[in-house]
Amino acid sequence: MIKKFDKKDEESGSGSNPFQHLEKSAVLQEARIFNETPINPRRCLHILTKIIYLLNQGEHFGTTEATEAFFAMTRLFQSNDQTLRRMCYLTIKEMANISEDVIIVTSSLTKDMTGKEDVYRGPAIRALCRITDTTMLQAIERYMKQAIVDKVPSVSSSALVSSLHMVKMSYDVVKRWVNEAQEAASSDNIMVQYHALGLLYHLRKNDRLAVTKMLNKFTKSGLKSPFAYCMLIRIASKLLDETEGGHDSPLFDFIESCLRNKNEMVVYEAASAIVHMPHCTARELAPAVSVLQLFCSSPKAALRYAAVRTLNKVAMKHPSAVTACNLDLENLITDSNRSIATLAITTLLKTGSESSVDRLMKQISSFVSEISDEFKVVVVQAISALCQKYPRKHSVMMNFLSNMLRDDGGFEYKRAIVDCIISIIEENPESKETGLAHLCEFIEDCEHTVLATKILHLLGKEGPRTPQPSKYIRFIFNRVVLESEAVRAAAVSALAKFGAQNDDLLPSVLVLMQRCMMDSDDEVRDRATFYMNVLQQKQKALNAAYIFNGLSVSIPGLEKSLHQYTLDPSEKPFDMKTVPLATTPITEQKTEIAPIATSKLPEKLAPSRQDIYQEQLASIPEFQGLGPLFKSSEPVQLTEAETEYVVRCIKHTFARHMVFQFDCTNTLNDQLLQKVMVQMEPSEAYEVIHYVPALSLPYSQPGSCYTLIRLPDDDPTAVSCTFSCTMKYLVRDCDPNTGEPDDDGYDDEYVLEDLEVTVADHIQKVLKPNFGAAWEEVGDENEKEETFALASVRTLDEAVGNIISFLGMQPCERSDKVPENKNSHVLFLAGVFRGGHDVLVRARLALADGVTMQVTVRSSEETVVDVILASVG
Amino acid sequence: MRDRKQKQSYANWDYSLETSVPTGWTGHSLCVNVWTGENAEQEPSLYTVKAVFILDNDGNRLLSKYYDPELYPSMKEQKNFEKNVFNKTHKADNEIAFLEGMTIVYKSSIDLFFYVVGSAQENELMLMSVLNCLFDSLSQILRKNVERRCLLENMEGVFLVVDEIIDGGVILESDPQQVLQKINYRADDNPLSEQTVAQESSGTQEEAVFMT
């Protein structure tokens, strides 16, 4: 009977895959033979394999059927067949989450883990820990402790790894096994050593002192396991990073010494750790680079890949450090592994000279279609960096990019290309039309809404100012006909910009707009109706305010203000001027495309930064009623670096007040400072109203104190002032080790550097995408003009930089970039003055002996114009 | 006493500022580069392997294990990933690839493909040592017949080998000899043929007698 059954089973499995047509129900049916006596190990084994195979294929097992099979399986523990028992462990692990009452096997597993058969013990521990929870873990704690220090490596390893898995769930229990883990770490077996180190680190990682001690111990004693070495290197570099340890630290020496380890894995880990350290000098990089160079000619693809990938990383920050490897990299550009070839080429693009660009681009275009999207993005980023380095190469690049744009690829890849083209357009005015043409072609068949809307926005901005704006209309209107709501809405906005800027196109745009008003989507219809009405007025000022330049307020701020307004209804209409301004204009593309080189762009933080300050200040009772926060300055250091107290100041400007936030850090570990405040002596008619002290300033924990001042009401032109600052506090000496302070203290003070308030603190940057329109909108009612000679300035670039930083206004129309070899330049600046008055500055610069500057200021408020001119003078 | 210098606390400040403004960061790190994983400073850990799988030459899954519950949690995503990896790797035996933000090392033999997946920051050589161990161990239990049919006939051995090499993403063993010793498994030349079943049943009879 059994035979016959078996035979059938064999036949069905005689195809190429014996598991091909497995039926879950049939397999579960077969599992009934688990209950037969005597147990047939071979057949049971085969059935267990089938069950695990099915689970692995993603077959769904219901709780009841899984539980039934699980319980049947438990009977198999009666057999002593080794493989069968091992498969039982696997089944337990696989079914731990789908079957009920799996803890029924606890005693069988405990028996196996403490039994005589070493072959069972390790796997039994791992299976047991898989089904154990915190309460049950305490019951087997004794066995686990023993197992960790067991002399059989597989038992010890299994116990250590299982403990590591359980740290997440039962940290408090596992923590008690730290001594055992410590003992295991000195085992001779390399895997036990590695696992013990991993567990120890996990248990101690929040205790920096313990980690340091552990590192000291192991770096001195030396380990056998290359894996453990890699782990140590990672721990050491993390610690170095956290403690800002200098490169003379013993930890750095340890990592460097690993470059001479005999195992490649360790050498590579060490090299990679050094390369990834934030402040490495070229000299410190050199040994790491030279081992990577050696790896470049390894016969192992993985090692070549690892090496060139890491070199590529180095080349981002220190291209010169990698130049020595150029020859090795050249050999890799024909590597059969395209990933390696791509990385080699992109690295060479960073380190090589302008003359090699064409050749490398040709090489890479021969196989760009074969590489994965991730690497295509790398290529695009390399191109983008190149365009900034060698602007003359933009036509080659543009061609290459447009070809790439036509190829298949995912969103990230396409976005990288689009960003890159946009940045080229912005850098090189002469490439604008070709670039726009490529992008127009792209949106004809673009599945990514985000990219389509982005390009439409760009077309709306740039298109109307090209010699032939009408040719873009077709592309844009096609979107209105063919695309989804979001794209249609963006297309309508773009159309409106053409109508507003080009009078001869206006009638046609109005006709198209009329059609858009019949759209099925609310947003599209609303926009069309709105723009239609604005355009029909044919007023420049309206166009500028509502079509070109849009809102400049911070969106979360607007939401909050509107919410507040609805909670507290009043007769007064909602005033837009009470809404905090957006601190950074969102539309600048350049910062987004440059991520390869700089991952930490401070400007990127700004929008949320101001909102956070607003929250923080609002929570202090003394500062309520100041109104919305207008502007927060960048932090100003008021102390030298590396002094006993570090103080920096952030200036917060409100409509009629300023708040100075002093972030103080006490770097003396034997002092506790209390009641810390910064006393300020103004030089002008500024009035200090209130001090908010920081109550306590323990060692190395930053704290903030505040000073509130009132700006002079009677003289609105008094925008600049110098404050002399003194920090006053109560010192209590304390024990450096415990931080326990003495009972009594004494008053002391510390003189800080002077703090200056300048005109820039009263002006918030606002980007006007269309400066001309904004200029007309404000009108010449309050216009004033004056001419200045800047004698000390030598170049136009320098002058532009000075003016921008002095006035703290936003350069528009990319006028902060002075074209090369020009003697004159016009700089456009836009901002909002405290109190919500728009202010625009046009500075014509001419280079003669020094720089002559004609400044024209327009604003909705006359005093503001005076303030600006007065402060420039 | 006053001129003691402490660089450390100075640095902590910058951290506190950064962590207090998460939104700008995440937005930015998205457009940074999944590829270098620049912003993802990695916590040192033993969890090296994200996934391991064996596919046949049509890209069908024969075995696969995912160790990071956040990585492709659903079966559909897993199979999609496997398909994508297979399509990108089966044509050329290149040993290493980078896909969907993962480092993948692989190896093929006749009609089988073996893959080990790790994060972008992972040490590629560590992943290689896992792959080599997997391959060598299987090669030995299959007596060098590393091909689909033979593998499927010894599927239990394959499951056991994988279980001994990786436990929940941690490299448990990297030496094929040790693995073989631990699982103590040998492939059968003629699995479950009629003859062996006959032997088996006689064997079980003896056992039954013994048990009584």
Side-chain angles (χ1 to χ4, degrees), chain A residues 70-92:
Chain A
F70 187 86
F71 273 69
M73 183 274 301
T74 57
R75 245 199 105 245
L76 302 181
F77 271 87
Q78 290 175 11
S79 164
N80 278 327
D81 184 280
Q82 269 193 16
T83 315
L84 182 61
R85 182 70 60 87
R86 296 288 316 267
M87 285 305 274
C88 286
Y89 300 146
L90 277 193
T91 317
I92 293 169

Coordinates of all heavy atoms in Angstrom, one line a residue, chain A residues 70-92:
Chain A
F70 N 1.5 21.1 12.1 CA 2.5 21.4 13.1 C 2.4 20.3 14.2 O 3.4 19.7 14.6 CB 2.3 22.8 13.7 CG 3.5 23.2 14.6 CD1 4.6 23.7 14.1 CD2 3.4 23.0 16.0 CE1 5.7 24.1 14.9 CE2 4.4 23.3 16.8 CZ 5.6 23.9 16.3
F71 N 1.2 20.1 14.7 CA 1.0 19.1 15.8 C 1.4 17.7 15.3 O 2.0 17.0 16.0 CB -0.4 19.2 16.3 CG -0.5 20.2 17.4 CD1 -0.4 21.5 17.1 CD2 -0.7 19.8 18.7 CE1 -0.5 22.5 18.1 CE2 -0.7 20.8 19.7 CZ -0.7 22.1 19.4
A72 N 1.1 17.4 14.1 CA 1.4 16.1 13.5 C 3.0 16.0 13.5 O 3.5 15.0 13.9 CB 0.8 15.9 12.1
M73 N 3.6 17.1 13.1 CA 5.0 17.1 13.0 C 5.7 16.8 14.3 O 6.8 16.2 14.4 CB 5.5 18.4 12.4 CG 6.9 18.6 12.1 SD 7.8 19.2 13.5 CE 7.0 20.7 13.9
T74 N 5.1 17.3 15.4 CA 5.8 17.2 16.7 C 6.0 15.7 17.0 O 6.9 15.4 17.8 CB 4.9 17.8 17.8 OG1 3.6 17.1 17.8 CG2 4.8 19.3 17.7
R75 N 5.2 14.8 16.4 CA 5.4 13.4 16.7 C 6.7 12.9 16.2 O 7.2 11.9 16.7 CB 4.2 12.6 16.0 CG 3.3 11.9 17.1 CD 2.5 10.8 16.4 NE 3.1 9.5 16.7 CZ 3.6 8.7 15.9 NH1 3.7 9.1 14.6 NH2 4.0 7.5 16.2
L76 N 7.2 13.6 15.1 CA 8.4 13.1 14.5 C 9.6 13.2 15.4 O 10.7 12.7 15.1 CB 8.7 13.9 13.2 CG 7.6 13.8 12.2 CD1 7.9 14.6 10.9 CD2 7.3 12.3 11.8
F77 N 9.5 13.9 16.5 CA 10.6 14.0 17.5 C 10.9 12.6 18.0 O 12.0 12.4 18.6 CB 10.3 15.0 18.6 CG 10.7 16.4 18.3 CD1 9.8 17.2 17.6 CD2 11.9 16.8 18.7 CE1 10.2 18.5 17.3 CE2 12.3 18.1 18.4 CZ 11.5 19.0 17.7
Q78 N 10.0 11.7 17.9 CA 10.3 10.3 18.4 C 11.3 9.6 17.5 O 12.0 8.7 18.0 CB 9.0 9.5 18.4 CG 8.0 10.0 19.4 CD 6.7 9.3 19.3 OE1 6.6 8.3 18.6 NE2 5.7 9.7 20.1
S79 N 11.4 10.0 16.3 CA 12.4 9.4 15.4 C 13.8 10.0 15.7 O 13.9 11.1 16.1 CB 12.1 9.6 14.0 OG 13.2 9.4 13.2
N80 N 14.8 9.1 15.5 CA 16.2 9.6 15.8 C 16.9 9.9 14.5 O 18.1 10.1 14.5 CB 16.9 8.6 16.6 CG 16.6 8.8 18.1 OD1 16.3 10.0 18.5 ND2 16.5 7.7 18.8
D81 N 16.2 10.0 13.4 CA 16.9 10.3 12.1 C 17.4 11.7 12.2 O 16.6 12.7 12.4 CB 15.9 10.1 11.0 CG 16.6 10.3 9.6 OD1 16.7 11.5 9.2 OD2 17.0 9.3 9.0
Q82 N 18.7 11.9 11.9 CA 19.3 13.3 12.1 C 18.7 14.3 11.2 O 18.2 15.4 11.6 CB 20.8 13.2 11.9 CG 21.5 12.9 13.1 CD 23.0 13.2 12.9 OE1 23.4 13.8 11.9 NE2 23.8 12.7 13.8
T83 N 18.6 14.0 9.9 CA 18.1 14.9 8.9 C 16.7 15.3 9.2 O 16.2 16.4 9.1 CB 18.3 14.4 7.5 OG1 19.6 13.9 7.4 CG2 18.1 15.5 6.5
L84 N 15.9 14.2 9.5 CA 14.5 14.5 9.8 C 14.4 15.5 11.0 O 13.6 16.4 11.0 CB 13.8 13.1 10.1 CG 12.3 13.3 10.4 CD1 11.6 13.8 9.2 CD2 11.7 11.9 10.8
R85 N 15.2 15.2 12.0 CA 15.1 16.1 13.2 C 15.4 17.5 12.8 O 14.7 18.5 13.2 CB 16.0 15.6 14.3 CG 16.0 16.4 15.6 CD 14.7 16.3 16.4 NE 14.5 14.9 16.8 CZ 15.0 14.3 17.9 NH1 15.7 15.1 18.7 NH2 14.7 13.1 18.2
R86 N 16.5 17.6 12.0 CA 16.9 19.0 11.6 C 15.8 19.7 10.8 O 15.5 20.9 10.9 CB 18.1 18.9 10.7 CG 19.4 18.4 11.4 CD 19.9 19.5 12.4 NE 19.9 20.8 11.9 CZ 20.9 21.3 11.2 NH1 22.1 20.7 11.2 NH2 20.8 22.5 10.8
M87 N 15.1 18.9 9.9 CA 14.0 19.4 9.2 C 12.8 19.8 10.1 O 12.1 20.8 9.8 CB 13.5 18.5 8.1 CG 14.5 18.4 6.9 SD 14.8 20.0 6.1 CE 13.4 20.1 5.0
C88 N 12.6 19.1 11.2 CA 11.6 19.5 12.1 C 11.9 20.9 12.7 O 11.0 21.7 12.8 CB 11.6 18.5 13.3 SG 10.8 17.0 12.8
Y89 N 13.2 21.1 13.0 CA 13.6 22.4 13.5 C 13.2 23.5 12.5 O 12.7 24.6 12.8 CB 15.1 22.5 13.8 CG 15.6 21.6 14.8 CD1 16.9 21.0 14.7 CD2 14.8 21.2 15.9 CE1 17.4 20.1 15.7 CE2 15.3 20.3 16.9 CZ 16.6 19.8 16.7 OH 17.0 18.9 17.7
L90 N 13.5 23.2 11.3 CA 13.3 24.2 10.2 C 11.8 24.5 10.1 O 11.3 25.6 10.0 CB 13.7 23.7 8.8 CG 15.2 23.9 8.5 CD1 15.4 23.7 7.0 CD2 15.6 25.3 8.8
T91 N 11.0 23.4 10.2 CA 9.5 23.5 10.1 C 9.0 24.4 11.2 O 8.2 25.2 11.1 CB 8.8 22.1 10.1 OG1 9.6 21.3 9.3 CG2 7.4 22.2 9.7
I92 N 9.6 24.1 12.4 CA 9.2 24.9 13.6 C 9.4 26.4 13.3 O 8.6 27.3 13.5 CB 9.9 24.5 14.8 CG1 9.5 23.1 15.2 CG2 9.7 25.5 16.0 CD1 10.4 22.4 16.3

